[in-house]
Amino acid sequence: MTAQGKVIPPAEKIRCDACPVLCFIAEGRSGACDRYANHGGALVRLDPLTVIENGAPATPFLDAGEDADEWDGDIVKGARPFVTALGAGTTYPDYKPAPFIVSQKIEGVDMVTVVTEGIFSYCGVKVKIDTDRHIGQERALVRADGEPVGHVTTTEYGSKMLSLGGVEHLTGGGKKEGRVTCDTLLRLCNRQEVELTIDEGAALTLAAGKAPIIDGEAERLMRVGCGSAAIGMFATQWAPHADEVIVVDDHITGVLTEHQAGKMLDARPSGLRVKGRRSTPGRYFQVAGPGSGWGGTDISDPLSILRPADPKIAWPGLRLFMISTTGEDWAYFVLNDNLVPEPAETPPALLASATRVAENCEPALASVLFMGGAGGSLRSGVTENPVRLTRSVRDALANVTCGGAPTYIWPGGGITLMADVMAMPENAFGYVPTPALVAPIEFTLRREDYAALGGHLDQIREIGTVVDDGVRRIGATGNGVDPRDRRNFSWGR
């Protein structure tokens, strides 16, 4: 009520129908997702539509062959933007066509791109952590803010792997578990840092494209190979300067004089014996427990993996070089008269070889792949006959991208995809409090193929009517691959 006694009605709220939450939003405020707002009584998407301005190879000059392309004066083809789904809005509640269905002539072919921001409740991320260090047992729970958000999955070559998210954590557990899981996925997909703990394992700080931090220590190098591989790679550099070389590794510890590479170099048997289970000559499993020590084991003293030397074969003065698979740990010993290794000054050639091993290790990174399934409702925004879109993707008539980034489509039913978040524009993901992730997804195909699958032809707009001064323009993403490149399609290969 004002000083004059007049009653001023509260600003009218509007109802957002962009997701199942159905927020009532007051004038000047945004919904729970921070993606939609009430602007003067109209529901608006807060982030601008984003287009990628792809460069392209210069048009061949005076090319009169079959591949000649009529030059339109645009040397770098920068005036051929690709409309992504970032800022496009959604099809929810899925009775309506996708927000943007745009057409554009590409090398004489009339191409159509259908874009929408998909709401993914069936989604998660696969995280690859380049390290040999033990982070936790396979199947151990991964937690954020104390809540289970995923688990440790199978170790891959030189990397530990996490499987995070999924509908069981988003909606199958408690309310807090779902909220924390959604927030963890959102931050990882948007390349932001997250803090995770593994039951009876390590504490991790991870961000896509950055070095993983394990128990407070930043990982520097991804191993050059397993112990056996390292023996093969560096045998010729080690053999002239050591009588025995042992590469300590949690997976396979290599022993030069027993290894086939050593045999081929006529290495004399050393009589040094390694603990663990012998697999094949010069290759040993389980020489120690997993940990954060040498080569991803739990040892800090490399001699702890040795049994007493065989007195019938070993000899005083035998030169022993021991090294980890990243070259970060190494030691040199000489056997005394009792055949016990004693520390000695490392020859310069072996010091150089340790540097060479480290030099051949790639920088350790955390990598994040988004994984989600394009459900029937999302597909109905593309076509009135959703199963035809699935078949079109299978037949490589439709190319699927996420924010312009290439995707890998899993075999089998549906459209289950994976995309590298580092190939997508920054902050490409959003969320809805149901909880679920919101991710951009685009389908690109020829107009004739779009018509054949029952597309919403009456909703097609020429790209010139969509790309105006209000759009956000960014440079090439997706490793520079144009989603409309004919090589993406079965008809253009």
Side-chain angles (χ1 to χ4, degrees):
M1 181 176 292
T2 68
Q4 291 74 31
K6 295 181 179 179
V7 176
I8 298 176
E12 185 176 354
K13 294 183 178 179
I14 60 175
R15 190 169 193 174
C16 176
D17 63 354
C19 84
V21 177
L22 301 175
C23 294
F24 282 101
I25 308 175
E27 164 64 26
R29 304 293 296 272
S30 61
C33 65
D34 292 326
R35 297 167 54 244
Y36 288 89
N38 180 344
H39 181 68
L43 185 68
V44 297
R45 179 72 173 87
L46 287 174
D47 302 306
L49 182 67
T50 299
V51 300
I52 296 172
E53 295 186 319
N54 279 300
T59 301
F61 187 60
L62 295 180
D63 185 352
E66 293 182 353
D67 297 329
D69 190 14
E70 184 179 355
W71 185 40
D72 58 5
D74 180 9
I75 296 177
V76 298
K77 302 182 180 180
R80 299 175 183 176
F82 177 76
V83 178
T84 76
L86 274 74
T90 70
T91 62
Y92 192 83
D94 306 317
Y95 67 90
K96 55 193 176 185
F100 292 93
I101 305 175
V102 298
S103 71
Q104 186 179 22
K105 283 285 183 68
I106 302 296
E107 297 179 352
V109 181
D110 194 357
M111 303 294 292
V112 173
T113 299
V114 185
V115 309
T116 186
E117 289 179 306
I119 300 175
F120 291 87
S121 55
Y122 281 85
C123 71
V125 297
K126 307 302 179 192
V127 183
K128 174 173 169 283
I129 305 168
D130 298 335
T131 183
D132 273 347
R133 302 184 198 283
H134 179 66
I135 62 170
Q137 295 293 337
E138 187 178 321
R139 300 185 300 279
L141 282 177
V142 179
R143 298 179 185 272
D145 195 20
E147 295 293 324
V149 298
H151 62 274
V152 178
T153 186
T154 50
T155 298
E156 301 300 339
Y157 199 99
S159 305
K160 308 298 183 184
M161 303 291 292
L162 305 180
S163 178
L164 306 182
V167 71
E168 284 79 7
H169 291 291
L170 283 168
T171 62
K175 186 174 182 179
K176 183 182 178 184
E177 178 180 340
R179 178 177 57 77
V180 171
T181 298
C182 186
D183 181 67
T184 301
L185 297 179
L186 180 65
R187 293 178 66 82
L188 282 169
C189 287
N190 282 337
R191 311 183 196 175
Q192 297 170 359
E193 195 172 272
V194 298
E195 303 281 347
L196 303 172
T197 59
I198 297 173
D199 285 2
E200 300 182 4
L204 307 173
T205 303
L206 303 176
K210 295 184 179 179
I213 298 174
I214 303 171
D215 289 331
E217 184 176 348
E219 190 67 293
R220 292 195 314 113
L221 300 174
M222 179 181 182
R223 72 177 185 176
V224 68
C226 68
S228 174
I231 288 286
M233 294 167 70
F234 297 99
T236 56
Q237 299 179 43
W238 287 330
H241 308 287
D243 299 307
E244 184 64 280
V245 177
I246 298 175
V247 182
V248 181
D249 179 29
D250 177 52
H251 178 210
I252 302 174
T253 289
V255 180
L256 175 64
T257 61
E258 297 182 31
H259 195 275
Q260 187 63 18
K263 299 293 185 187
M264 299 302 291
L265 294 172
D266 296 325
R268 174 184 173 185
S270 69
L272 295 178
R273 296 181 291 195
V274 176
K275 296 178 181 176
R277 179 161 62 89
R278 186 172 182 265
S279 167
T280 51
R283 303 168 77 249
Y284 289 83
F285 299 154
Q286 302 163 8
V287 298
S292 297
W294 279 53
T297 70
D298 59 353
I299 66 166
S300 55
D301 176 9
L303 297 180
S304 64
I305 68 169
L306 296 184
R307 302 181 190 278
D310 185 344
K312 297 180 181 177
I313 303 176
W315 64 95
L318 184 151
R319 302 165 299 169
L320 167 63
F321 185 55
M322 302 185 77
I323 187 170
S324 68
T325 47
T326 59
E328 296 171 296
D329 299 296
W330 45 265
Y332 181 73
F333 306 91
V334 176
L335 266 58
N336 62 19
D337 291 341
N338 296 318
L339 303 181
V340 176
E342 292 187 347
E345 184 177 355
T346 307
L350 293 179
L351 284 175
S353 76
T355 302
R356 179 69 57 82
V357 171
E359 181 183 338
N360 278 270
C361 295
E362 295 180 74
L365 293 176
S367 305
V368 178
L369 292 189
F370 167 72
M371 184 170 174
S377 55
L378 185 153
R379 286 176 287 171
S380 69
V382 181
T383 168
E384 296 176 346
N385 199 347
V387 71
R388 289 189 179 179
L389 175 61
T390 306
R391 294 169 184 164
S392 181
V393 172
R394 291 269 169 262
D395 295 338
L397 295 174
N399 182 37
V400 186
T401 52
C402 283
T407 61
Y408 172 77
I409 307 296
W410 280 74
I415 303 174
T416 302
L417 58 88
M418 292 198 302
D420 180 1
V421 303
M422 292 300 292
M424 301 170 67
E426 289 190 73
N427 296 315
F429 290 79
Y431 81 103
V432 293
T434 52
L437 280 193
V438 177
I441 185 167
E442 305 95 21
F443 300 91
T444 300
L445 63 174
R446 292 185 300 191
R447 181 188 284 260
E448 62 199 78
D449 295 324
Y450 189 49
L453 61 81
H456 304 293
L457 298 180
D458 59 333
Q459 299 295 316
I460 295 177
R461 290 183 273 178
E462 294 299 320
I463 194 166
T465 66
V466 174
V467 180
D468 54 25
D469 292 339
V471 303
R472 171 193 177 207
R473 300 170 187 269
I474 62 175
T477 61
N479 303 324
V481 178
D482 190 333
R484 300 156 299 188
D485 190 306
R486 61 173 56 238
R487 288 169 294 184
N488 294 320
F489 305 93
S490 56
W491 51 264
R493 295 170 183 166

